[in-house]
């Protein structure tokens, strides 16, 4: 007698497996936690805004070298306040340009969820086509170049940064730093700057290293 046919059995993914697949990756959670901690530390170290806007401390610099020295000292002391001001100017510019805001947000989301914090297995599939890691990276680089240089996004970012830097430099040049205590301010950058330099690299490095 012929033996009965054995049908293949495919296990169905459980709810826990589905949640684990669609949930945030550990690298992404670490990145978000790092941003949250950095922002909280930065705001905790900011100087009082009343001290920044003290009208009695403003005076005309005697020379260009004096203005440059003032900018260096004031930036060292009001670093977090100045970076917050730059962020406000940048956010205002993007809010008043909805197309640039949506385009930049989409580009950032693409980098985060399609490459940096996306698990390497399974591979990326778009429009019925499977993309390798190198193809995904190439598409993201090309998209970034197109968005920054061939749309209004680049002009909005550059103009916002120029306006913000102009405001910061004018304030720092006319704000006399003689009443500021700068003895403990010569340490390396902290707060937001630590995120912009080594902090961001430390947060993204594990996700990138996993793909090498």
């Amino acid at each position: 007698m012929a033996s009965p046919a054995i049908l293949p059995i495919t296990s169905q993914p459980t709810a826990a497996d589905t949640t684990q697949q669609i949930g945030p990756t550990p690298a992404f959670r670490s990145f978000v936690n790092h941003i949250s901690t950095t922002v909280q530390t930065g705001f905790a170290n900011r100087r009082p805004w009343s001290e920044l806007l003290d009208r009695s401390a403003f005076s005309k610099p005697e020379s260009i070298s004096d203005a440059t020295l003032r900018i260096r000292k004031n930036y060292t002391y009001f670093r977090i306040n100045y970076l917050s001001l730059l962020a406000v100017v940048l956010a205002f510019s993007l809010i008043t340009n909805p197309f640039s805001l949506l385009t930049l947000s989409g580009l950032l989301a693409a980098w985060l969820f399609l490459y940096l914090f996306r698990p390497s297995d399974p591979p990326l599939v778009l429009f019925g086509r499977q993309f390798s890691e190198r193809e995904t990276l190439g598409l993201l680089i090309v998209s970034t170049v197109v968005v920054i240089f061939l749309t209004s996004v680049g002009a909005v970012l550059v103009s916002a940064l120029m306006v913000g830097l102009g405001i910061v430099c004018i304030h720092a040049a006319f704000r006399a730093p003689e009443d500021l205590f700068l003895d403990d301010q010569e340490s390396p950058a902290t707060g937001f700057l630590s995120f912009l330099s080594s902090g961001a690299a430390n947060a993204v490095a594990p996700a990138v290293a996993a793909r090498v």
Side-chain angles (χ1 to χ4, degrees), residues 77-119:
Y77 189 80
F78 294 112
R79 179 189 301 116
I80 303 301
N81 302 76
Y82 286 154
L83 292 175
S84 300
L85 180 60
L86 285 175
V88 169
V89 173
L90 182 60
F92 178 79
S93 299
L94 291 176
I95 291 175
T96 55
N97 293 271
F99 172 77
S100 299
L101 177 60
L102 293 177
T103 305
L104 191 62
S105 299
L107 180 64
L108 179 61
W111 272 102
L112 291 178
F113 297 107
L114 296 183
Y115 186 76
L116 290 178
F117 302 116
R118 185 185 62 82

Side-chain angles (χ1 to χ4, degrees), residues 127-201:
F127 306 107
R129 185 183 185 280
Q130 180 174 315
F131 292 86
S132 64
E133 294 294 328
R134 184 170 299 179
E135 291 174 333
T136 303
L137 179 60
L139 288 175
L140 289 173
I141 293 176
V142 172
S143 301
T144 302
V145 172
V146 170
V147 167
I148 298 300
F149 294 101
L150 300 182
T151 66
S152 61
V153 175
V156 171
L157 294 178
V158 172
S159 60
L161 290 177
M162 294 298 293
V163 171
L165 288 175
I167 295 174
V168 168
C169 290
I170 291 175
H171 176 275
F174 283 86
R175 210 286 186 192
E178 282 76 11
D179 61 329
L180 304 180
F181 297 96
L182 301 175
D183 295 339
D184 59 342
Q185 300 302 318
E186 300 300 332
S187 58
T190 57
F192 288 105
L193 284 187
S194 63
F195 166 70
L196 293 176
S197 56
S198 61

